Amino acid sequence: MNENADTTERPPLLIDQVIGQEHAVAVVRLAAKQRRFVLLIGEPGTGKSLLGRAIAELLPPTEAFCVASLENPDDPSCPRIVVRPRAELEAEQKKERQQERRETFSHNYLLSLAAGGILLLCGWLLIRDRAYGLSLAGVMALIWLWRLRKPGRTRASGRAAKILVERKAGPAPFIDATASSEGALFGDVRHDPYQSGGSESPPHALVEPGAVHRAHGGILYIDEIGNLSVEAQKLLLTAIQDRSLPITGRQSGSSGTLIRSEPVPCDFVLVAAGNVEDLPRIIPALRSRILGYGFEVLTACTMPDTPQHRRDLDRFVAQEVNKDGRIPHFTPSALALIYEEARRRSGQAGRLTTRLRELGGLVRIAGDLAIQAGLAQVDADQVQLALRYAASIEEQQLALPAGHDVSGLIPEFSARLVHSSSEFPCPRR
Ligand SMILES: Nc1ncnc2c1ncn2[C@@H]1O[C@H](COP(=O)(O)OP(=O)(O)OP(=O)(O)O)[C@@H](O)[C@H]1O
Ligand SMILES: [Mg+2]
């Protein structure tokens, strides 16, 4: 037991904060070094998301770049995609704007000269010969010339590149695409209600990147991967195979479906997670791709009850206290009850649970109770009390005779929670 639990430092790297998942940690370190895919399968709250975020910290930092869509003069419905440092892109854009302004100016200048000439000629013919017919023709020519002018400013701003992804030099991004719609995951093209008449948006300005594109150079994390539709999984497979994916409109009936950009880079490390029940819902081709270019890892739901793992639990409690920021640290006797509860929740002799989210809940409740009691440290009494509050509905039901008042039974129930492990088998409580 760590006497100095309140001074336990929270390790700066997330990977060093992971407890009881030695195998998963070793795999994740290797995957990050080699930029391999990872499928994390395990019980809820065993640290899968934590491991996913940890990989992002281990990846080498990325350089600054922008991915931008540009007008494609040869095929406006297929916007061009470029990857450049921002300064370079802005310099290119500036040069292009200057060139365009020059072209517009000389075009409109020539038209103005022609219009001036026609105007003079018409005036002269009108005064000298009263040639009304020719003058009318001159006015028609002026209208025609007016229509030929280049509006310049509006078109020039419409041609500005649209930045889809901008990355500053620094840590690799971690993009959590859990429960994203297909549009949010793979990008979309916005519907343009004004499709003609000069007020329409240029197609490249309607392109919106998806999570796969924003994760370029970093991690794409998808939890509950089994909930992704088969079509979405196939598209994900295409994205990881090609390391690029064009953006097209995804809402049927939208004008965006007529637009399909050039391929947009999406070279990411896929970290997918789920429960064992999700496995049959992952398409075999995707699993094969992950196994071929990465790892499948089953996170442990218990760990051996060793002095080292008890020290790890001390660290876990200190981490949760620091993370919460509002609750005090735990005394050794409070920690002893936490070990006891971790042992009980494992449901096996000589083991401790690694379903640490739920154990973290117990830590927070005990901390809240200590704050309520005005204490500077969490003591065994608060953990004891917290065990009553942290009970699940099923546990509360088990403790109640039919129709009995809940509040009256709580102390008795609490005693059963602490002293009986057979009644509430873990890990499936
Ligand atoms: N192995 C662990 N080591 C340290 N902390 C953990 C661990 N497992 C869970 N935790 C704590 O629980 C929180 C939730 O864990 P996490 O979100 O990573 O679980 P998960 O496995 O992704 O759960 P789910 O299946 O519900 O998505 C973490 O932020 C951390 O505070
Ligand atoms: Mg998770």
Side-chain angles (χ1 to χ4, degrees), residues 14 17-21 42-53 221 223-224 273-275 299-300 315-316 319-320 323 354-358 360 364:
L14 283 177
Q17 294 178 20
V18 179
I19 283 153
Q21 302 292 352
E43 296 280 329
T46 49
K48 299 183 294 293
S49 302
L50 193 61
L51 284 160
R53 280 198 305 277
Y221 179 76
D223 210 344
E224 284 152 28
N275 298 328
T299 55
R315 182 158 57 80
F316 167 71
Q319 279 171 200
E320 295 297 298
K323 217 187 288 177
T354 51
R355 289 180 64 147
L356 294 183
R357 182 196 284 128
E358 291 164 14
R364 277 179 285 278

Side-chain angles (χ1 to χ4, degrees), residues 39 63 80 136 141 160 235 297 349 368:
L39 174 62
E63 290 180 359
R80 282 171 53 218
L136 191 66
L235 260 181
V297 186
D368 290 346

Side-chain angles (χ1 to χ4, degrees), residues 60-64 167-173:
T62 57
E63 290 180 359
R167 179 74 33 74
K168 303 226 169 9

